[in-house]
Amino acid sequence: MDVGGNGSGLPVNNKQRAMLPNKTRGEFTRNQRKDSEGQSESPDLEFEYSDTDKWAAELSELYSYTEGPEFALNRKCFEEEFRVHVSDKKWTELDEAQHRAHAMRLLDSLEVTAREKRLKVARAILYMAQGTFAECSSEVEVQHWMRYNIFLLLDVGTFSALVELLNMEIDNSAACSSAVRKPAISLADSTDLRVLLNIMYMMVETIQQDDPADKPEWKIIKETFRTELGSPLFNNEPISVMLFGMVTKFCSGHAPHFPMKKVLLLLWKSILFTLGGFEQLQSIKVRKREELGLPPLPEDSIRVIRSMRAASPPASASDLIEQQQKRARREHKALIKQDNLDAFNEKDPYKADDSREDEDDNDDNDNSIEAETFPLERDEVMPPPIPHPPSERVSFPKGLPWAPKVREKDIENFLESSRSKFIGYTLGSDTDTVVGLPRPIHESIKTLKQHKYVSIAELQITKEEEFQKTPLSGGEEEVETCATELLYQGILPSLPQYMIALLKILLAAAPTSKAKTDSINILADVLPEEMPTTVLQSMKLGVDVNRHKEIIVKAISAILLLLLKHFKLNHIYQFEYMAQHLVFANCIPLILKFFNQNIMSYITAKNSISVLDFPYCVVHELPELTAESLEAGDNNQFCWRNLFSCINLLRILNKLTKWKHSRTMMLVVFKSAPILKRALKVKQAMMQLYVLKLLKVQTKYLGRQWRKSNMKTMSAIYQKVRHRLNDDWAYGNDLDARPWDFQAEECALRANIERFNSRRYDKSHSNPDFLPVDNCLQSVLGQRVDLPEDFQMNYDLWLEREVFSKPISWEELLQ
């Protein structure tokens, strides 16, 4: 069983060779040569994918450039309070006891009823959270005092007080109604909310940062805060549920003044802090597999992806020689048989072989992945081939980055087709009986079983089926009360509305969206009260608006991906519930619409003014801004947040479509192939991998003409994407090419999800037939029943009417 390529990326066996007409094979080699000449023009992007960007970048993205003047206002409010209660000393000169005493005073002052006074105190606390920057001489010093002050504020109980104030502001109907009536909402409408959200974000973002120099008591405070943040302590719900409520209220139009960027950033960081990032997900997965008795993971996917290169690796000399010798031996035969094979493969139920349909693909004619220079060409002198030891043939090819995987279902299908072909009988799900099958089939089954992978999701589905079949004898399910479970329980009642709201904001923030009158206004917390009057001010605001939208896309993509990954690990049906509502809310076409732009321009966009970023802007003297300095932007090769957003959105699309035939067909119907192919021009290994995965699942439905003209993309899929043994994704004669019944597949899944949710979470509507009943006469009669007062007062009347005045027919009763 030969799976995968031979290092050069070219298919190797006869069945696959049939897919490569002679003309295409020649073109493929020529294109490799042609592309390698211009390869130096676009180097690989030095991007390291992580949970978040660097701490300084994450802090600076909280503030819009139009908020710049407020830094001085916060300082003024703090210094006024400070001079009243403390001597003329500086904050950095006081000892710890004095720091704590002043923090407590500020916290007490937050509870005043006068709104103006409360806002001043909140600004003073915000200045503390910003590191009392006026007394610092460098950014490092600001960050040091930020960390110190924030742990101090948390220790005296500031966060809980802020949550209460935030609740008051959310429920402030006067502010909501005045904002709804305003023709244009500006920064001033959300002042109170912005100050509170700024402090809360600074606290969450700073505390979740790991610092080896932290005191032991700080580490305890951090863990306590993480637990509190994920528990239903605030209004009997986790903080994330409260923030989701703000998102839906904003999208419904009842609170257009909410500063949505800050809400989404705080929501993202709260989920990241309480549930954990990508590395924690990997360790949870390893632990869960161990608990369920499953074999360990074949590799750490994060490390594998980080070690991958963007361009295709060159072929080894021995592989090229071996391939050329095979080609020379079989070329004549292949040419004779080609016509018949072409005729067979033309029968594609999903795509007519019409060149007009490929016009949108041929504009970039597969220059998407620039292959590296092949060191050897046909006319060069070949060194002698390196002999392979026979044992190497058993293991998977060394050039592949991933260990192959096989599902139990794949083994069953392979055995069923082999039995019906050679013997003519079937045994259902029996994967052990191999009587009467030829020896090569035995070896194939052995190889398949060697790479069998059982996922946590498969076990969870099996367990759920057992619970549904045997509700009485199945026993009570032990549900681990972790942060993910608590969050799911919190958002379950309104999850569909939350998903629609997030996608609405994502659509409004996407650069491909046209400004419509009915779309939501996400710029309320970036537009100043007085619109710009000079060209320079207009340019600055333009940069600020674009940056604002990019940050919103970054936050939403990270929120959706984190929730999908955590829910999938916690229980597959929690993941499926969220995924299905994303699909119903048109998430798939929305992400494709997002990528239907010049993606290289988006990734290299320069929408930032580094001298205005916090904390740089509060420590250094600001140079005079000019139109030239604004246009220049930074010198970075790419914009970290935009590349991060693109990878997240591709990962979400992969999660929504994986193993779902109906959703894969949506990718085909929405003509995603040319859009995704353009995204391959970004030379970053991780982004290319997720694009290639999406292309792989739909390749068999795109028609033979597409495969012929996209051989380099096919080759890249062979080299970079995990191989599923006996998955013939590269040709259109698969059993999966069945009629597209979207509704049946989604309805069956929905029924399973609803059964799971009602069994586990809907205790009020549980089936009365399965509730315990007391049938013992003594215990029923022995129960004390409290009768209502009016019945006791009229007891004599009741006896007269219901007992004494009614004749009793004892014969009827005895019968």
Side-chain angles (χ1 to χ4, degrees), residues 667-698:
L667 290 177
V668 180
V669 167
F670 290 123
K671 291 191 165 31
S672 66
I675 297 168
L676 293 168
K677 261 187 63 188
R678 281 196 292 276
L680 283 173
K681 290 179 182 175
V682 179
K683 291 196 72 179
Q684 204 283 320
M686 194 171 197
M687 184 158 165
Q688 283 187 357
L689 173 70
Y690 288 111
V691 171
L692 291 170
K693 278 185 168 192
L694 288 165
L695 285 169
K696 179 185 174 180
V697 293
Q698 53 176 318

Side-chain angles (χ1 to χ4, degrees), residues 767-809:
N767 193 330
D769 295 340
F770 296 151
L771 292 174
V773 178
D774 189 357
N775 293 320
C776 177
L777 192 64
Q778 283 180 318
S779 64
V780 170
L781 292 174
Q783 282 175 9
R784 181 173 175 79
V785 180
D786 292 324
L787 299 167
E789 263 184 52
D790 57 340
F791 178 81
Q792 289 175 356
M793 286 167 68
N794 300 306
Y795 181 57
D796 295 337
L797 285 170
W798 181 85
L799 271 177
E800 185 61 43
R801 193 181 67 226
E802 298 292 331
V803 182
F804 302 142
S805 63
K806 288 205 172 180
I808 298 169
S809 174

Side-chain angles (χ1 to χ4, degrees), residues 420-533:
S420 57
K421 181 178 174 183
F422 290 104
I423 304 162
Y425 70 85
T426 57
L427 288 175
S429 58
D430 181 345
T431 56
D432 297 319
T433 310
V434 288
V435 179
L437 295 174
R439 184 158 183 74
I441 300 292
H442 290 214
E443 285 173 17
S444 300
I445 294 158
K446 186 184 169 188
T447 309
L448 288 170
K449 285 187 175 177
Q450 191 182 329
H451 295 293
K452 187 170 95 167
Y453 176 80
V454 180
S455 67
I456 295 169
E458 286 173 64
L459 292 190
Q460 288 171 340
I461 289 169
T462 312
K463 222 173 194 177
E464 185 58 29
E465 282 171 1
E466 285 172 17
F467 276 121
Q468 297 294 350
K469 278 181 196 168
T470 56
L472 293 172
S473 59
E476 279 294 311
E477 185 186 9
E478 287 181 27
V479 181
E480 187 186 350
T481 314
C482 57
T484 312
E485 184 62 36
L486 290 169
L487 179 59
Y488 183 77
Q489 287 174 18
I491 67 173
L492 177 62
S494 309
L495 188 138
Q497 292 91 301
Y498 296 154
M499 294 306 110
I500 290 166
L502 285 177
L503 293 182
K504 265 187 181 177
I505 299 169
L506 182 61
L507 177 64
T512 48
S513 295
K514 304 286 179 286
K516 292 178 185 170
T517 47
D518 59 340
S519 66
I520 48 176
N521 175 21
I522 54 168
L523 304 175
D525 53 330
V526 71
L527 298 175
E529 283 185 273
E530 294 175 8
M531 291 309 280
T533 51

Side-chain angles (χ1 to χ4, degrees), residues 187-423:
L187 207 62
D189 295 296
S190 58
T191 306
D192 293 33
L193 278 164
R194 279 188 298 106
V195 171
L196 296 173
L197 289 165
N198 282 345
I199 307 169
M200 291 167 79
Y201 177 87
M202 300 284 270
M203 290 178 85
V204 174
E205 175 57 25
T206 305
I207 288 164
Q208 77 169 346
Q209 295 291 329
D210 288 319
D211 191 337
D214 279 355
K215 303 172 191 172
E217 58 265 31
W218 282 10
K219 288 176 180 171
I220 296 164
I221 290 171
K222 176 180 175 174
E223 287 311 310
T224 311
F225 183 51
R226 188 203 302 271
T227 311
E228 285 176 359
L229 214 57
S231 305
L233 296 179
F234 309 102
N235 288 355
N236 296 323
E237 60 189 17
I239 191 81
S240 305
V241 180
M242 186 175 122
L243 295 168
F244 266 122
M246 287 183 78
V247 175
T248 46
K249 195 171 181 183
F250 170 80
C251 284
S252 64
H254 298 312
H257 65 298
F258 280 1
M260 218 8 72
K261 183 188 85 175
K262 294 182 194 295
V263 173
L264 290 166
L265 283 172
L266 179 56
L267 175 57
W268 167 33
K269 290 304 165 72
S270 302
I271 292 169
L272 181 62
F273 184 40
T274 52
L275 306 190
F278 301 129
E279 288 191 7
Q280 287 93 325
L281 274 160
Q282 188 74 4
S283 56
I284 294 168
K285 195 173 187 178
V286 169
R287 177 180 61 81
K288 281 210 165 189
R289 287 186 69 82
E290 214 172 278
E291 287 171 3
L292 293 166
L294 293 170
L297 293 163
E299 70 272 294
D300 184 339
S301 53
I302 297 170
R303 285 181 190 166
V304 173
I305 292 170
R306 279 181 185 160
S307 64
M308 287 173 84
R309 298 189 308 170
S312 308
S316 66
S318 59
D319 283 337
L320 273 171
I321 296 156
E322 192 178 323
Q323 191 203 320
Q324 284 190 332
Q325 286 170 348
K326 281 183 182 176
R327 190 185 297 161
R329 281 199 303 272
R330 297 179 186 170
E331 201 158 356
H332 185 62
K333 284 183 187 176
L335 283 170
I336 294 166
K337 292 180 182 175
Q338 193 66 46
D339 291 342
N340 298 337
L341 283 163
D342 283 359
F344 173 75
N345 278 316
E346 294 296 340
K347 294 170 188 171
D348 191 335
Y350 289 100
K351 179 137 179 171
D353 202 356
D354 188 350
S355 59
R356 281 173 302 179
E357 287 192 25
D358 291 295
E359 279 172 14
D360 54 351
D361 287 11
N362 293 335
D363 57 351
D364 50 23
N365 201 21
D366 201 42
N367 291 332
S368 46
I369 289 195
E370 291 84 9
E372 292 187 15
T373 318
F374 277 165
L376 300 165
E377 293 294 345
R378 198 182 269 271
D379 51 356
E380 289 180 0
V381 179
M382 295 292 184
I386 301 158
H388 290 287
S391 60
E392 266 190 37
R393 283 300 195 202
V394 180
S395 62
F396 56 87
K398 283 192 172 180
L400 300 173
W402 306 99
K405 279 185 183 177
V406 183
R407 293 184 301 167
E408 182 74 25
K409 191 180 169 187
D410 298 330
I411 302 174
E412 287 173 17
N413 290 343
F414 177 73
L415 264 169
E416 282 299 277
S417 61
S418 301
R419 284 174 188 144
S420 57
K421 181 178 174 183
F422 290 104
I423 304 162

